[in-house]
Amino acid sequence: MANTYYLIVFQALNMFRIESKIKTGSPEFQQNQAEYKKLLDQFRENLARIRQGGPAQVVARHKERGKLLARERIDLLVDRNTPFIELSALAAYGLYDFGFPSAGIITGIGVIHGKEVMIIANDATVKGGTYVKETIKKHVRAQEIAMENRLPCVYLVDSGGVFLPEQASVFPDKYDFGRFFFNQARLSSKGIPQIAVVMGSCTAGGAYVPAMSDETIIVRNQGTIFIGGPPLVKAATGEEVTAEELGGAEVHTMISGVADHLAENDVHAIQICRNIFESIQRHEYQSLETHPIEEPAYDAEELYGILPIDLKKPVDSKEIIARIVDGSLFHEFKERYAPTLTTGFARIMGYPIGILANNGVLFGETALKGAHFVELCTSRNIPILFLQNITGFIVGKQFERAGIARDGAKFVHAVANANVPKFTIVFGGSFGAGNYAMAGRAYEPRFLFMYPNSKISVMGGEQAAGVLITVKEEQLKAAGKTLSPEDRDKMLQTILKKYEEEGSAYFSTARLWDDGIIDPVDTRKILGLAIAISQNRKYEKTQNGIFRM
C-alpha cells in the first residue's frame, strides 16, 4: 500500500528513479573506492587530531581547574540524540605551525529544546582562546549564517581576546574583531536572541560579547569580564586588583549588572542556558511542502567508488544525485538539451530541492539552461543545490563569436539574484568562472561544503602552467632569448606543485573559503538540516537585473 502511494505521488510529479549504470564489482570501481578510502582515512585522522584541542599539558591544566573542554560543553548544551553540524573544523589547518587547531574556536548548528541554534565556543586550550585572522573569519561567518537563517546565537566565552602578535591583521578592518559586536547589535535588532555564557576570561573588546547579549550567564570563580585586565589597570592607573575583584561573577551579578545569572560551574551554566531557551519562541517561517522521507535506492558508500580522484575522469553527476536524494527519484529538466549541466527537481529528507549538477564544461546553451532552471526554482520558492565539478566556460574563437560571455552572464545574473536558499557541494573540481556560475562562495550560498578529493583554483595546474610558460617564452623571445628544455621542465614542475597544494580542499578550508570538508556519506544529513534551517525566515522575492539579450 505504501509503495503504491509513493508511486502515485512521484508519477504525478513526473519523478522517475535514476537507474545507476555503475558496476560496483568492476576493477575500476574497486580501485577508485580503495583510493578514496585512503583520502577519507587521512581526513578522519586530521579531524581526530585537531579535535584534541591544544597541547596535552594545557588540556590537563584546563581540566584540573574543573572546566569542561569546548566540545564537551557543546555536547551538554544540545538536545540528546540530535545532530550537531560543526562548521570549518579544519580552519587554520597547517597555518601557524599547526598551532591553532580549528582556529581556536568551535562553531556549528545544534538543537536546544527543539530549536536550531548557532553555537560559538572558544577553545581556551588553544593559545588561551585568543583570536587570529582565521578565528575572526570563522566567528563572523557563524554570525552571518545566523543572520541569514534567523538562528539564535549562544556564545560559550572563554577567551583572552586578540592574539597580540597578530594584532595588525585582526583589529582595524571592516570584518575584523569589532565586527562581532556590530553583528550582535544587528542580530538583536532583528529579534534574533543572543545568549552569552562566560566560562572563563572575557577581556578587552571581548567584554562586549556578554555586554551586548540579551542574557548573560557567568560562572563563579571562573568567569571574568573586564575592558582592561589587572596588568593593564596597574599600568594605566597604578591600582592593584585581582581578576575576581575587577570583573568576577560576584561583581557582575551583584554590583555592575553586566551579567544576569550566576552559575556554580560549567554544568550549572549550561543548564541555565538550556532553561532560557524554553521561553524563546520561533519566528514566522517559510513553509515548504514536505513528503515522507525515503532513503536513496543506492548505498551512499558507493560514492567512494564514483567520486573522481583524477579530475580528468568524467563523472555522470546523476550517479551522485541518485545516492543523495530521496528514493533516488529525480524529475529532470531539459534532459536532452545542453547535457553538460544536469538540472531537475528532487527531495532531500522530505524537502523539495532544485538541483544543478555539472557534467562537463559550460557552453552558451548550458548557461541558458542553467539560468532558465534557476528562474523556475525562484518562481516556485524551491531551494537550490549546486553540485560542482566544473572546469569553467568553454573558450575559443567560435564560442566567443557566438556570445559565450553574454550567455554566461545570464547564468551568473540568475544565480546572483536568486533569493531562495542556495547550497553548494564541490564534489570534484571548481575552476575559473564556473565556480561563480555554480554558486561559489562569492555568490553567497547559505552553506558551501567540499569533499576530501575536491580542488578549487582559478584554473587547473596544467592549464596554468601552459599559460605561464607561454607568457615566459614570449617575453624571452622579445628579448632575443629562449627557454631551455631544462628550465621549461623546472618551471612546469614548480607551477604544478604550487597549484596542487593551493588547490587542495585542505588549503581552501584552512582559509575558510568553504564551510568545511565533509564525508560524502553525510551529505544527505547535512543538506536536510541546512534546508530545515533555511525555513527560519521567509524567502525574499527574487528580482533580476538587466539580462544582455
Side-chain angles (χ1 to χ4, degrees):
M1 182 70 181
N3 289 338
T4 303
Y5 167 76
Y6 286 134
L7 186 62
I8 291 169
V9 169
F10 288 123
Q11 282 184 344
L13 292 170
N14 294 319
M15 280 196 177
F16 297 96
R17 182 162 283 120
I18 295 171
E19 185 178 342
S20 177
K21 296 178 174 60
I22 297 295
K23 294 180 171 56
T24 57
S26 70
E28 182 185 12
F29 180 91
Q30 298 288 337
Q31 182 181 352
N32 198 90
Q33 188 178 56
E35 289 182 22
Y36 204 95
K37 286 183 175 180
K38 289 178 184 176
L39 286 181
L40 273 178
D41 288 343
Q42 185 61 57
F43 169 61
R44 289 166 181 157
E45 285 176 20
N46 292 337
L47 273 182
R49 193 180 307 116
I50 63 96
R51 283 176 173 163
Q52 292 172 6
Q57 64 271 23
V58 177
V59 171
R61 191 158 60 244
H62 185 90
K63 289 182 173 181
E64 285 167 6
R65 293 170 178 160
K67 299 168 74 173
L68 296 173
L69 298 174
R71 287 185 173 81
E72 292 174 338
R73 291 167 174 170
I74 292 170
D75 287 344
L76 279 179
L77 180 61
V78 299
D79 294 351
R80 286 186 181 181
N81 301 317
T82 60
F84 173 71
I85 305 299
E86 185 172 350
L87 303 169
S88 300
L90 292 165
Y93 180 83
L95 304 175
Y96 311 100
D97 292 324
F98 290 90
F100 276 86
S102 286
I105 192 170
I106 294 95
T107 63
I109 300 160
V111 178
I112 303 177
H113 283 296
K115 305 171 185 79
E116 294 101 356
V117 177
M118 175 59 73
I119 300 169
I120 301 173
N122 299 115
D123 185 349
T125 70
V126 179
K127 307 291 185 183
T130 53
Y131 282 73
V132 289
K133 180 171 64 176
E134 291 73 22
T135 324
I136 289 173
K137 196 171 182 181
K138 187 170 174 178
H139 188 129
V140 169
R141 173 63 183 149
Q143 289 178 315
E144 286 175 352
I145 292 170
M147 189 92 69
E148 289 171 335
N149 299 284
R150 295 194 69 90
L151 295 176
C153 293
V154 174
Y155 304 92
L156 303 180
V157 187
D158 197 346
S159 169
V162 165
F163 184 63
L164 293 179
E166 295 286 324
Q167 69 86 25
S169 61
V170 298
F171 173 69
D173 210 351
K174 180 178 180 179
Y175 291 102
D176 282 348
F177 203 82
R179 192 73 181 188
F180 304 163
F181 321 126
F182 175 88
N183 284 343
Q184 279 189 258
R186 295 296 296 273
L187 286 157
S188 186
S189 74
K190 294 178 184 295
I192 302 172
Q194 308 288 289
I195 310 299
V197 187
V198 182
M199 312 174 96
S201 180
C202 195
T203 306
Y208 289 112
V209 172
M212 297 188 73
S213 294
D214 299 9
E215 293 190 58
T216 293
I217 305 153
I218 188 168
V219 179
R220 188 196 300 273
N221 298 323
Q222 183 173 302
T224 55
I225 306 170
F226 32 62
I227 299 298
L232 182 58
V233 169
K234 184 176 181 180
T237 68
E239 180 183 11
E240 292 193 9
V241 62
T242 67
E244 197 65 29
E245 292 170 334
L246 185 63
E250 295 287 340
V251 170
H252 288 308
T253 55
M254 292 183 65
I255 302 171
S256 75
V258 170
D260 309 300
H261 307 278
L262 176 66
E264 297 301 326
N265 51 45
D266 281 4
V267 175
H268 185 206
I270 288 166
Q271 186 57 57
I272 294 171
C273 183
R274 286 185 52 81
N275 292 346
I276 289 170
F277 273 87
E278 290 193 84
S279 64
I280 290 176
Q281 303 299 309
R282 288 182 178 271
H283 291 271
E284 181 183 9
Y285 61 94
Q286 179 72 38
S287 178
L288 290 174
E289 184 179 349
T290 58
H291 288 259
I293 297 170
E294 185 180 0
E295 288 298 311
Y298 306 99
D299 187 346
E301 289 203 7
E302 291 175 3
L303 289 169
Y304 301 154
I306 298 168
L307 291 166
I309 302 290
D310 178 1
L311 297 185
K312 294 176 186 175
K313 173 189 170 186
V315 175
D316 182 355
S317 57
K318 278 189 273 193
E319 297 289 355
I320 311 297
I321 295 168
R323 288 156 179 83
I324 63 174
V325 303
D326 288 8
S328 302
L329 292 153
F330 188 54
H331 175 202
E332 191 165 358
F333 174 73
K334 285 186 182 292
E335 178 182 1
R336 301 175 66 192
Y337 180 76
T340 60
L341 183 68
T342 298
T343 55
F345 296 99
R347 297 194 184 92
I348 292 177
M349 305 300 281
Y351 295 108
I353 191 83
I355 300 175
L356 295 93
N358 297 123
N359 261 345
V361 70
L362 295 173
F363 293 90
E365 59 268 27
T366 322
L368 295 176
K369 175 180 174 177
H372 186 171
F373 184 72
V374 168
E375 287 183 323
L376 284 180
C377 292
T378 57
S379 70
R380 298 172 187 176
N381 266 351
I382 293 177
I384 306 174
L385 169 62
F386 294 82
L387 293 174
Q388 283 198 17
N389 182 24
I390 181 66
T391 55
F393 285 89
I394 193 70
V395 296
K397 183 173 71 173
Q398 171 192 346
F399 302 104
E400 294 295 351
R401 291 185 175 189
I404 182 67
R406 176 194 60 230
D407 294 334
K410 292 186 179 74
F411 193 8
V412 171
H413 256 288
V415 173
N417 288 311
N419 280 331
V420 295
K422 302 187 289 276
F423 311 101
T424 303
I425 304 283
V426 182
F427 74 87
S430 179
F431 301 115
N435 168 276
Y436 303 154
M438 291 295 292
R441 187 64 127 185
Y443 287 76
E444 298 189 345
R446 296 288 180 96
F447 297 94
L448 188 157
F449 296 104
M450 299 184 74
Y451 287 165
N453 61 298
S454 303
K455 303 284 185 187
I456 182 168
S457 55
V458 70
M459 63 179 69
E462 290 184 4
Q463 290 84 356
V467 171
L468 292 170
I469 289 171
T470 299
V471 170
K472 184 67 173 177
E473 286 176 333
E474 288 177 354
Q475 288 173 343
L476 291 171
K477 184 178 179 181
K481 301 176 182 178
T482 58
L483 188 65
S484 71
E486 293 78 12
D487 287 342
R488 191 182 193 282
D489 185 64
K490 183 178 179 181
M491 187 175 178
L492 172 66
Q493 296 307 318
T494 300
I495 295 167
L496 290 175
K497 184 173 184 292
K498 175 183 174 66
Y499 271 74
E500 179 67 22
E501 291 174 355
E502 295 183 359
S504 80
Y506 289 103
F507 193 93
S508 168
T509 208
R511 291 154 182 80
L512 290 103
W513 298 345
D514 54 56
D515 294 309
I517 301 173
I518 63 171
D519 185 331
V521 167
D522 294 331
T523 305
R524 263 176 66 76
K525 175 182 72 176
I526 291 169
L527 286 174
L529 183 58
I531 299 168
I533 289 163
S534 76
Q535 291 184 270
N536 284 324
R537 59 176 279 192
K538 286 278 188 182
Y539 302 166
E540 297 175 18
K541 183 179 179 181
T542 293
Q543 182 173 335
N544 286 310
I546 304 300
F547 280 74
R548 184 177 293 277
M549 307 304 288

